[in-house]
């Protein structure tokens, strides 16, 4: 592997990826990770091709020291970095923690903006400049690979920034980072800062320049890419963009932007992009930070389409609405989310995927019921469609159909139901009370379709999650040694119950006809002479 410390190994158009999920990312309030979790993340970053893993801030705590030390010993390919302020004890502690690393890097920083120097450091610029030299020299006594950062670099006066950068390189820094610590810069300005510093600092060719962007204005990725255009060749970023306040530039977004728009961003890197989703899931799991649904690259909607027009386009040619393949980031496949905006084309494809082939009329009926369901439910899951089609198939050729149902339920009994059925084209209604709404419905059915079958099983389960989930009701009826089970599905449990019971009666009649064709159904006879 090319050492990021060796300028000769880095081609002019190769950018090195410096991941700081375990340092800047872990600094996000609430994102702390255990040692084992950090080791798991570091291992994955290393496998994914990250060039430098910033493992932590060794002086910050005993735990941070131990994790940097353990990661330094674990990681096989990447350089491991430890952060240090411009203080002897910080630098020595970082040097100690990094012992055993394949390519240890000390990353030391000091504020250079007038605001930070005056209020935070309470130091004169010349004192800060002297510290830049002395601390980089101290870090070089521990390791060859030293990064120096000008904290609040984007709000630093250009002349002073150039003097600091020159001093850091002279003292032995091999990477110079100009962070946008407070997420304040804009792309053109950041690009200009890099161009100016690289042009004005006489020894700038002896270091790699680095971008480090925070996302306070939502510009972290755009600024990062602009910095690269300005001459930076190291990108500091984090998985899922976690980091201080609004976070850092997201690694997955930067890397996929470079890959997808290589025509205008001709910079290569070593990241195995098919591992991006895995990394995102791992970091989200260990930090308990959810990934927003519409997050670029790794959000659950990033490769999901619901609108009928988009789904139709996707089925004809995926490039119509996708600029990168889901597989390229480790997502198995595009998902056509079935909802109220989905069209016939996608519905038919979905049925095919689920193993159903319906005739034109059945398809049309199923589509109508699907649209009806989608109007009442945010997402229609595969299981919902299966339940709906199974219900549809079960109802084909049915002699009795549920037309209308109104129920009075709640604590103020008696519960009652008013049910209208279509029995072989004739509509009949009945109102009944019962011991609960389901009992009231079944009493109506008994009154409208008198029968001797006994209810053996009544079972309800939610097909999917959420309060808007479809209820699937199973009913088993037994009569004269024959048993039938049927299901009814609907977001309304009571409608599903009526449907299930009627479906079971329909099945029972089919069974009766099959075994004793001469027999007239006792139930139907009572109302259909
Ligand atoms: O944002 C920042 O300035 C930093 C430095 C420590 C590099 O994280
Ligand atoms: Zn930062």
């Amino acid at each position: 592997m090319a050492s990021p410390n060796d300028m000769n190994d880095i081609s002019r158009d190769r950018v090195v990826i410096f991941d700081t999920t375990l340092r800047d990312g872990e600094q996000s309030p609430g994102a702390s990770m255990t040692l084992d979790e950090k080791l798991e993340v570091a291992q994955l970053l290393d496998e994914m091709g990250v060039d430098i893993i910033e493992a932590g801030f060794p002086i910050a705590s005993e735990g941070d020291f131990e994790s940097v030390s353990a990661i330094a010993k674990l990681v096989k390919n990447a350089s491991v970095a430890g952060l240090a302020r411009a203080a002897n004890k910080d630098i020595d502690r970082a040097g100690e923690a990094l012992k055993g690393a394949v390519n240890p890097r000390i990353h030391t920083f000091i504020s250079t903006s007038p605001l930070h120097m005056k209020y935070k450091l309470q130091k004169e610029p010349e004192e800060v400049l002297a510290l830049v030299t002395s601390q980089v020299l101290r870090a070089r006594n521990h390791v060859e690979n030293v990064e120096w950062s000008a904290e609040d670099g984007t709000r630093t006066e250009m002349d002073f920034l150039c003097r600091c950068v020159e001093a850091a390189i002279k003292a032995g820094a091999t990477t110079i980072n100009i962070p946008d610590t407070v997420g304040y810069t804009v792309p053109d300005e950041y690009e200009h800062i890099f161009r100016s510093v690289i042009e004005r600092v006489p020894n700038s060719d002896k270091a790699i320049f680095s971008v480090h962007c925070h996302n306070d204005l939502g510009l972290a990725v755009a600024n990062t890419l602009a910095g690269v255009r300005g001459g930076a060749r190291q990108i500091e970023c984090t998985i899922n963009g976690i980091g201080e306040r609004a976070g850092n530039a997201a690694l997955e977004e930067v890397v996929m932007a470079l890959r997808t728009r290589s025509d205008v961003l001709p910079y290569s890197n070593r990241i195995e992009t098919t591992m991006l989703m895995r990394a995102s899931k791992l970091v989200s799991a260990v930090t308990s930070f959810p990934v927003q649904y519409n997050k670029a690259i790794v959000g659950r909607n990033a490769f999901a389409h619901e609108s009928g027009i988009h789904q139709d386009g996707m089925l004809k040619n995926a490039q119509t609405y996708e600029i990168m393949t889901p597989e390229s980031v480790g997502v198995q496949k595009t998902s056509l989310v079935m909802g109220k905006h989905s069209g016939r084309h996608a519905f038919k494809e979905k049925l095919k995927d689920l193993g159903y082939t319906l005739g034109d009329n059945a398809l049309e009926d199923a589509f109508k019921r699907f649209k009806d369901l989608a109007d009442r439910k945010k997402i229609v899951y595969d299981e919902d469609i299966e339940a709906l089609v199974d219900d549809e198939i079960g109802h084909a050729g049915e002699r009795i159909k549920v037309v209308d149902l109104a129920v009075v339920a709640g604590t103020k009994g008696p519960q009652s139901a008013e049910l209208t059925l279509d029995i072989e084209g004739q509509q009949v209604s009945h109102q009944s009370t019962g011991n609960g709404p389901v009992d009231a419905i079944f009493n109506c059915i008994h009154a409208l379709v008198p029968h001797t079958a006994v209810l053996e099983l009544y079972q309800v389960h939610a097909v999917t999650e959420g309060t808007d989930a479809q209820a699937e009701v199973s009913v088993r009826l037994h009569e004269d040694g024959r048993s039938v089970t049927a299901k009814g599905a609907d977001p309304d449990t009571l409608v599903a119950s009526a449907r299930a019971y009627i479906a079971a009666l329909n099945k029972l009649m089919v069974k009766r006809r099959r075994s004793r064709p001469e027999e007239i159904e006792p139930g139907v006879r009572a109302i259909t002479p």
Side-chain angles (χ1 to χ4, degrees), residues 225-480:
L225 298 173
V228 172
R229 263 198 316 272
R233 289 295 177 270
Q234 173 176 288
I235 292 174
E236 303 197 0
C237 46
T238 60
I239 300 293
N240 295 340
I242 64 169
E244 287 274 8
R245 304 179 310 279
N248 289 59
L251 181 149
E252 61 278 5
E253 294 178 23
V254 170
V255 166
M256 288 314 288
L258 291 175
R259 183 178 155 151
T260 309
R261 294 309 309 273
S262 59
D263 54 331
V264 287
L265 297 164
Y267 312 105
S268 64
N269 62 80
R270 291 194 322 124
I271 299 297
E272 175 51 63
T273 61
T274 57
M275 293 178 73
L276 290 174
M277 192 61 175
R278 224 175 103 196
S280 164
K281 287 207 158 124
L282 175 63
V283 169
S284 170
V286 299
T287 56
S288 302
F289 272 29
V291 175
Q292 79 192 54
Y293 286 174
N294 62 329
K295 161 95 176 59
I297 319 297
V298 291
R300 94 173 195 193
N301 287 355
F303 295 93
H305 309 265
E306 193 200 304
S307 104
I309 297 169
H310 287 210
Q311 291 184 340
D312 183 56
M314 285 294 298
L315 289 164
K316 288 171 177 154
N317 181 334
Q319 283 176 13
T320 51
Y321 289 103
E322 276 180 359
I323 56 166
M324 54 201 146
T325 65
E327 294 83 4
S328 67
V329 303
V331 173
Q332 262 183 351
K333 65 178 184 124
T334 293
S335 80
L336 298 187
V337 177
M338 301 307 291
K340 69 173 177 184
H341 302 112
S342 305
R344 256 182 207 77
H345 191 171
F347 183 67
K348 199 168 163 187
E349 280 305 307
K350 175 60 81 181
L351 289 183
K352 217 161 85 188
D353 274 3
L354 295 173
Y356 294 99
T357 326
L358 301 189
D360 287 350
N361 290 344
L363 180 72
E364 206 44 43
D365 280 357
F367 183 64
K368 254 169 54 204
R369 288 189 64 198
F370 155 72
K371 279 288 198 181
D372 191 42
L373 176 66
D375 261 339
R376 287 176 286 158
K377 201 170 181 292
K378 273 197 199 122
I379 296 177
V380 181
Y381 295 97
D382 288 0
E383 296 91 322
D384 290 322
I385 295 177
E386 278 167 351
L388 181 145
V389 177
D390 287 346
D391 198 37
E392 189 72 38
I393 291 168
H395 286 75
E398 63 195 7
R399 302 174 69 183
I400 312 173
K401 290 179 188 137
V402 175
V403 176
D404 222 7
L405 175 67
V407 176
V408 177
T411 50
K412 287 197 190 102
Q415 292 80 17
S416 65
E418 185 174 354
L419 178 68
T420 303
L421 296 178
D422 177 312
I423 302 177
E424 296 188 319
Q426 197 181 323
Q427 292 208 354
V428 286
S429 302
H430 186 79
Q431 190 170 11
S432 199
T433 54
N435 188 14
V438 176
D439 193 43
I441 295 167
F442 289 0
N443 287 342
C444 285
I445 297 175
H446 261 282
L448 294 170
V449 189
H451 56 275
T452 51
V454 177
L455 178 67
E456 275 192 341
L457 171 102
Y458 169 78
Q459 203 171 58
V460 184
H461 90 270
V463 175
T464 48
E465 312 149 23
T467 51
D468 65 348
Q470 274 217 98
E472 189 179 71
V473 174
S474 303
V475 161
R476 187 162 66 232
L477 295 178
H478 183 87
E479 182 197 64
D480 290 344

Side-chain angles (χ1 to χ4, degrees), residues 116 173 195 204 253 270 404 511:
H116 276 222
R195 277 197 201 292
S204 65
E253 294 178 23
R270 291 194 322 124
D404 222 7
K511 272 204 167 183

Side-chain angles (χ1 to χ4, degrees), residues 23-24 179 181 212 214 244 248:
R23 197 278 298 169
D24 217 331
T181 304
H212 177 114
H214 282 269
E244 287 274 8
N248 289 59

Side-chain angles (χ1 to χ4, degrees), residues 150 152-155 178-186 190 211-216 223 245:
D152 205 15
T154 52
R155 293 193 296 174
I178 305 177
D180 184 29
T181 304
V182 288
Y184 176 74
T185 198
V186 293
Y190 203 44
V211 290
H212 177 114
C213 297
H214 282 269
N215 206 29
D216 300 66
N223 288 337
R245 304 179 310 279

